[in-house]
Amino acid sequence: MGVTLIKKYAPLSEKEIIGQDKAVSSLKKFIVNFKNEKKKAAFLYGPPGCGKTCSVYALAHSMDLEIIELNASDLRNKDSIKSIVGAASKQMSLFFRNKIILIDEIDGIAGREDYGGLAEVANVVEDSYFPIIITANNPYDNKFSTLRRKSEMMSFNELNTDSILLLLKRICDKEGIKYTDEHLKTLARRSGGDLRGAINDLQIITAVHGDITKESIDELSQRDRTETMLNALVKVFKSTDSSVALNAFENVSEDINEQMLWLDENIPLEYKKADDLCRAYDKMSKADVFLGRIRRWQHWRFLVYAGNLISAGVAASKDTKNPGFVQYKPTGRLLKLWWAKQKSMKRNSIAEKIAEKTHTSTKNIIKDMEFYRLIFKNDDMMAGEMADEFGFDNEETEYLMK
């Protein structure tokens, strides 16, 4: 195949975009009504491969708009952003067509070498003659607080397996690729909601094997860049070889704090003897001490010790391995922590917007948050006026109404 399947089957209109009707409708409305919009940027956010970037291209194609894409990984500092994005936001297209400026993967602007970069993006947004569309995976990072206030926030959902399966079937049928529904659904499911990843997997399999079979999917799984947490736990709990356990978490995507939460949930399920349990949690406790020293003094060399303790240390805590099968599961605390973080970020975003308009500290607004929630729950008219005045997006308004 000369052209990648990703490019060959990229959507060319809003009707071809799957699973994102609400977000795409909001984005189209923003582009069409740009001159009357209070905010000059749309901030698209959602997990990788859910259709943020391809939706922008599809709308640009169907609306006959020129699109200028600037990847944030190439826009490092204030000066480069000002010269490239700033110029594009003010100059008419060469062929006098209307245009869209896309700043993709803005999460890439970070660190000291990018100092002033995000502040300059916010300045460019304020004075742009054309719609600026920004994409990111997590918009509620503190570094995006100013951009959030100046942008229309639009959420893209993780795609479900059935939506991905339908598109994979369409591609297979057009390309003459043999498959069974069961095998193709397995391929869709393993993508974890990442449509781009699923299509890339399909192309890799067909390039090597031609057809979609159980064997070809299994082989692809073995070449995965990232090990699953379940496989890592098996290495720790079921192995008596410390060198195997030591490398258990080397390729998992979760950070060490999430690794410890997984271990904390599953150690009692795996280690049934009191002595084994005691020794395992002793190692976990010592690892936590090292992590505390890292947080306090930034002594990052301690990270190696913490990693060794939760892998080889926990593995060596058992006298004999449990011969029975244990269904490992994620801790409910992960989900609770995630939700708490999301709520906190939304609350802080709301407080920042109110504080800016009322010349009050964000801290004091947070203390008075229940007062604002009462208004939004009991007075629709005032709530609408306040939402317009403070520039709340739909999610922030819904947060205050709960």
Side-chain angles (χ1 to χ4, degrees), residues 200-367:
N200 283 334
D201 285 348
L202 177 66
Q203 181 144 28
I204 290 169
I205 288 176
T206 53
V208 176
H209 300 279
D211 300 329
I212 307 299
T213 64
K214 182 180 185 301
E215 291 73 22
S216 63
I217 294 172
D218 289 344
E219 184 177 322
L220 183 67
S221 298
Q222 290 168 10
R223 297 202 308 268
D224 272 353
R225 295 182 299 274
T226 303
E227 270 194 82
T228 66
M229 180 57 72
L230 298 181
N231 289 338
L233 292 178
V234 168
K235 288 184 178 180
V236 173
F237 291 141
K238 298 299 188 183
S239 175
T240 54
D241 187 338
S242 60
S243 63
V244 171
L246 197 60
N247 298 318
F249 299 111
E250 193 173 77
N251 296 315
V252 300
S253 58
E254 290 84 351
D255 65 26
I256 193 167
N257 294 299
E258 292 172 316
Q259 293 165 20
M260 290 185 69
L261 286 170
W262 275 87
L263 286 166
D264 178 47
E265 181 74 18
N266 292 288
I267 284 174
L269 303 177
E270 183 71 39
Y271 292 177
K272 299 301 184 182
K273 295 179 182 178
D275 288 345
D276 292 353
L277 204 59
C278 180
R279 286 191 291 264
Y281 274 113
D282 178 60
K283 301 299 188 298
M284 292 279 285
S285 176
K286 287 182 169 65
D288 195 48
V289 170
F290 279 117
L291 292 178
R293 290 171 181 169
I294 292 171
R295 287 190 292 269
R296 186 172 181 180
W297 297 310
Q298 301 297 296
H299 289 174
W300 288 97
R301 65 182 182 275
F302 290 154
L303 190 61
V304 174
Y305 305 142
N308 290 349
L309 283 164
I310 68 168
S311 55
V314 171
S317 297
K318 56 184 177 289
D319 289 328
T320 57
K321 62 182 178 182
N322 181 356
F325 172 76
V326 176
Q327 182 68 55
Y328 303 133
K329 58 183 180 180
T331 174
R333 288 171 61 195
L334 282 173
L335 187 59
K336 290 176 183 176
L337 287 169
W338 187 86
W339 276 113
K341 185 176 181 180
Q342 296 302 307
K343 288 180 180 179
S344 175
M345 287 177 171
K346 286 181 185 178
R347 180 201 64 190
N348 292 344
S349 174
I350 292 167
E352 287 169 2
K353 291 180 178 180
I354 297 175
E356 184 181 39
K357 293 283 188 178
T358 59
H359 306 288
T360 313
S361 72
T362 301
K363 187 176 180 180
N364 285 335
I365 297 297
I366 290 173
K367 288 180 181 178

